[in-house]
Amino acid sequence: EDKVVQSPLSLVVHEGDTVTLNCSYEVTNFRSLLWYKQEKKAPTFLFMLTSSGIEKKSGRLSSILDKKELFSILNITATQTGDSAVYLCAVEYNAGNNRKLIWGLGTSLAVNP
Amino acid sequence: NAGVMQNPRHLVRRRGQEARLRCSPMKGHSHVYWYRQLPEEGLKFMVYLQKENIIDESGMPKERFSAEFPKEGPSILRIQQVVRGDSAAYFCASSPPFLKLGEAGERNEQFFGPGTRLTVL
């Protein structure tokens, strides 16, 4: 069965800490892995990863994919209270002529001042 | 270019009534996805549509739920005879026509609307 598993489910840290969020998956016909940030509204796009070992960076956030071990990590350095959110991982895969997206349950991150 | 638009933003219905949720995709996007997010849970895929076609409805309950994306106008998610368990945030996302990986700078992600929060009394 195709699935996406994120860990931890929730995390509480202090400002300035570095966090690593994990996303593992099992799908056939993998296409891409996406990270989103969701605050109290719709998810916003962070990264799309298609190739192993190539780090994507955006400010204090970075992400990398391992297609051999079937996982991705999202790193946030020097966390700020504004990073508090649910971080969602989704895996896109081909299903016939169509593509599908499976979502993880998310990691709820709380950054305390 | 306006983003994905959903309306209403909040909808209150009594048990047994019908709920209609609308989604207008971004300009140029021909693919629409509906997701449901229950309190304390992640996004759950419901249905994927292209214009006038349902591509994948594997995540949608077989009864009371239907979706359409007509040639003209917004995509509609319709819930008949709502029950309390239908209370959730419903998100719509749109994407452009398929891109092969590596084309056009990899911008192959889905763009989300603000969601409709449905409350069933």
Side-chain angles (χ1 to χ4, degrees):
Chain A
E1 182 187 348
D2 300 319
K3 60 182 179 182
V4 174
V5 178
Q6 290 187 246
S7 63
L9 285 182
S10 65
L11 193 56
V12 181
V13 300
H14 290 289
E15 268 190 317
D17 288 349
T18 292
V19 298
T20 299
L21 311 182
N22 302 288
C23 175
S24 64
Y25 62 92
E26 290 180 28
V27 301
T28 52
N29 299 316
F30 174 89
R31 186 180 168 92
S32 65
L33 185 144
L34 304 104
W35 283 98
Y36 287 80
K37 177 182 181 182
Q38 185 178 27
E39 295 165 275
K40 292 186 188 297
K41 51 186 180 179
T44 53
F45 174 78
L46 294 176
F47 299 112
M48 187 177 93
L49 303 152
T50 55
S51 302
S52 280
I54 298 175
E55 187 183 47
K56 294 276 184 95
K57 282 181 73 76
S58 176
R60 295 176 294 102
L61 277 66
S62 64
S63 184
I64 198 161
L65 174 67
D66 186 328
K67 289 168 73 174
K68 184 178 176 186
E69 299 297 328
L70 307 183
F71 77 93
S72 173
I73 59 171
L74 175 68
N75 275 324
I76 309 175
T77 59
T79 51
Q80 302 171 358
T81 54
D83 295 328
S84 297
V86 175
Y87 290 84
L88 294 162
C89 170
V91 172
E92 187 180 27
Y93 62 103
N94 289 318
N97 291 326
N98 302 307
R99 65 182 185 183
K100 293 191 178 185
L101 203 64
I102 300 180
W103 292 84
L105 291 181
T107 292
S108 178
L109 173 65
V111 181
N112 292 329
Chain B
N1 186 6
V4 178
M5 293 191 289
Q6 289 187 249
N7 68 80
R9 295 291 304 276
H10 299 274
L11 182 62
V12 179
R13 285 287 178 266
R14 296 192 182 280
R15 280 179 296 171
Q17 291 184 318
E18 179 180 285
R20 277 185 176 238
L21 289 64
R22 294 174 186 76
C23 169
S24 296
M26 286 181 70
K27 188 176 179 181
H29 286 191
S30 55
H31 299 230
V32 165
Y33 309 79
W34 285 95
Y35 296 90
R36 177 164 66 175
Q37 187 168 33
L38 295 169
E40 309 302 322
E41 293 187 16
L43 283 175
K44 295 280 179 64
F45 166 78
M46 296 182 74
V47 61
Y48 159 38
L49 310 105
Q50 293 179 24
K51 286 281 187 182
E52 298 184 282
N53 276 314
I54 295 175
I55 304 302
D56 179 358
E57 55 183 347
S58 58
M60 200 153 68
K62 295 283 187 286
E63 296 177 354
R64 303 188 297 108
F65 285 73
S66 62
E68 62 176 12
F69 189 15
K71 189 175 179 181
E72 301 290 337
S75 175
I76 307 283
L77 178 68
R78 184 175 169 211
I79 312 172
Q80 295 177 293
Q81 299 174 333
V82 296
V83 301
R84 287 220 174 100
D86 297 333
S87 296
Y90 291 82
F91 290 101
C92 165
S94 73
S95 69
F98 288 157
L99 297 173
K100 291 181 184 174
L101 288 179
E103 276 186 3
E106 302 176 355
R107 301 302 287 182
N108 216 7
E109 76 273 18
Q110 298 176 10
F111 295 79
F112 281 84
T116 293
R117 187 160 297 278
L118 172 66
T119 301
V120 180
L121 302 176

